[in-house]
Amino acid sequence: MDNKIISGKNISESIKQNIKKEIHNKDLKICICVIQVGDVSSSNIYIQLKKLACENVGIKFKLKKFKETIKEEKIINYINWINYDEKITGIIVQLPLPSHLDKHNIINNIDPRKDIDGLTDFNLSKLILNDDPYFISCTPLGIMELLKHKEIELEGKNVTIIGRSKLVGMPLFHLLLEKNCTITLCHSKTKNINKLLKYADIVICAIGIANFINGKYLKKGCIAIDVGINKIDNQIVGDFNYKTCLNKVSYITPVPGGVGPMTISMILLNLLKAYKLEYDYL
Ligand SMILES: NC(=O)c1ccc[n+]([C@@H]2O[C@H](COP(=O)([O-])OP(=O)(O)OC[C@H]3O[C@@H](n4cnc5c(N)ncnc54)[C@H](OP(=O)(O)O)[C@@H]3O)[C@@H](O)[C@H]2O)c1
């Protein structure tokens, strides 16, 4: 059974070691700025994970915290200021934001060359047009890296993605399309999702509902990529019902230890890319 489990933790570890070596050997001065508004507890955990990962490879971590009641204009002014700060290599706005703020407008003020989450209109539209965006969102990038690492042939495969967010499902759709997959992209209004799983060679679920996918609906031998992060009884679980899926799949990513660590290592990789863009450094 163990050989069915794709350990994102192990794969990301070797990526991180390579990044660390490059930063150290070339003495690169890289710094990320994470902007947080308010004090959402899950955000605090994700920010802490990013901080640890950055500091472990020699990347400086700057956290800019704003009060929950902050005006949008103040955040945008700050972003415009750090866009020109040579010491800041990459910028992330930690989501979610309080409801009075327009996240689209805020994120769109990030210089696309520092937008390491790949969420500005500039980078997203380049992705959609298959026109070499500066950055692609880290979770979809990490998933593509996992599939590549396992040498999974993608051309001609039927893929069902559940969840269409700009952060995960939507970029994945385009990355897999580029690899000549046939994709079904599901969302909250999709009817009868279980029926759509039957023909899928690869199922990717990114909705944040624990145990949403039961193995009985999966095609035998499919690949299951679990993006969801859900808390049940103080335990972190994914969107797949792991027990029922394990017998059906040829590969599955665990939660925790699957897609999550890959996302973190792709943040580091995108920061390295941002540095190279800024200094025209090869
Ligand atoms: N492992 C990682 O590194 C990582 C990274 C990012 C996110 N995540 C996790 O992945 C999950 C999704 O994150 P996100 O940022 O993409 O969330 P999001 O922006 O809230 O999007 C959720 C998506 O799920 C869809 N959805 C919700 N309920 C559904 C249902 N019953 N049936 C089908 N689709 C449904 C929504 O459809 P509509 O568009 O119709 O509303 C939406 O497209 C969360 O658990 C998050 O914590 C993990």
Side-chain angles (χ1 to χ4, degrees):
M1 286 292 182
D2 270 4
N3 57 2
K4 288 187 170 190
I5 296 163
I6 311 181
S7 170
K9 209 169 163 206
N10 293 347
I11 302 167
S12 73
E13 212 42 59
S14 71
I15 297 171
K16 285 195 277 189
Q17 284 312 319
N18 288 338
I19 295 172
K20 187 175 183 170
K21 250 186 242 158
E22 183 167 353
I23 291 175
H24 178 78
N25 291 345
K26 296 174 181 165
D27 193 25
L28 309 181
K29 305 279 182 249
I30 303 178
C31 178
I32 182 175
C33 179
V34 175
I35 296 171
Q36 182 182 20
V37 185
D39 213 18
V40 177
S41 66
S42 59
S43 291
N44 288 334
I45 297 169
Y46 295 137
I47 289 170
Q48 195 55 28
L49 287 173
K50 285 172 194 155
K51 181 174 190 281
L52 263 176
C54 286
E55 291 178 348
N56 276 338
V57 298
I59 292 175
K60 268 183 91 175
F61 185 92
K62 182 179 161 79
L63 175 63
K64 176 67 184 175
K65 265 187 136 171
F66 288 104
K67 282 195 187 132
E68 181 151 7
T69 50
I70 189 82
K71 287 213 168 85
E72 195 164 310
E73 195 192 334
K74 286 247 167 87
I75 304 173
I76 291 172
N77 285 345
Y78 181 74
I79 290 175
N80 285 328
W81 181 58
I82 55 174
N83 276 341
Y84 288 100
D85 184 345
E86 282 180 8
K87 290 195 285 306
I88 303 292
T89 320
I91 303 168
I92 286 182
V93 174
Q94 186 66 41
L95 300 174
L97 292 176
S99 56
H100 70 282
L101 298 171
D102 179 344
K103 78 173 174 195
H104 181 245
N105 189 33
I106 290 173
I107 287 171
N108 249 336
N109 276 278
I110 299 175
D111 179 339
R113 293 163 71 99
K114 294 192 178 190
D115 167 33
I116 56 164
D117 257 346
L119 286 175
T120 54
D121 286 354
F122 181 92
N123 282 318
L124 273 174
S125 54
K126 287 243 177 204
L127 172 70
I128 291 166
L129 297 169
N130 195 7
D131 184 23
D132 202 15
Y134 292 132
F135 299 104
I136 297 168
S137 171
C138 298
T139 303
L141 258 194
I143 292 170
M144 296 305 286
E145 194 56 40
L146 279 180
L147 295 170
K148 189 168 141 200
H149 187 89
K150 284 288 168 193
E151 296 181 347
I152 290 158
E153 175 61 49
L154 292 174
E155 187 157 305
K157 292 283 162 65
N158 289 326
V159 184
T160 297
I161 303 172
I162 307 152
R164 60 175 162 180
S165 70
K166 282 186 190 166
L167 194 66
V168 188
M170 199 269 264
L172 258 179
F173 175 91
H174 293 284
L175 291 170
L176 290 162
L177 192 61
E178 197 191 317
K179 297 285 179 198
N180 296 319
C181 293
T182 303
I183 305 139
T184 307
L185 184 57
C186 308
H187 44 78
S188 65
K189 308 290 183 288
T190 306
K191 297 211 165 58
N192 228 332
I193 289 179
N194 287 334
K195 268 198 177 163
L196 300 171
L197 299 177
K198 207 160 122 189
Y199 302 103
D201 304 303
I202 302 173
V203 178
I204 304 171
C205 195
I207 60 173
I209 301 179
N211 298 319
F212 185 80
I213 299 211
N214 190 297
K216 72 180 170 193
Y217 298 109
L218 296 175
K219 178 177 164 182
K220 183 95 184 142
C222 75
I223 293 162
I225 306 289
D226 197 346
V227 184
I229 301 175
N230 312 291
K231 210 169 175 189
I232 295 186
D233 300 333
N234 261 343
Q235 258 199 314
I236 301 292
V237 298
D239 289 349
F240 285 75
N241 181 312
Y242 207 70
K243 269 191 203 148
T244 59
C245 293
L246 208 52
N247 279 330
K248 277 295 208 42
V249 300
S250 57
Y251 283 122
I252 187 164
T253 59
V255 177
V259 173
M262 291 304 292
T263 300
I264 297 278
S265 59
M266 293 301 117
I267 293 175
L268 306 178
L269 214 53
N270 274 354
L271 276 165
L272 195 55
K273 186 176 180 194
Y275 181 91
K276 291 173 183 180
L277 278 174
E278 188 173 356
Y279 292 102
D280 264 340
Y281 155 103
L282 298 170

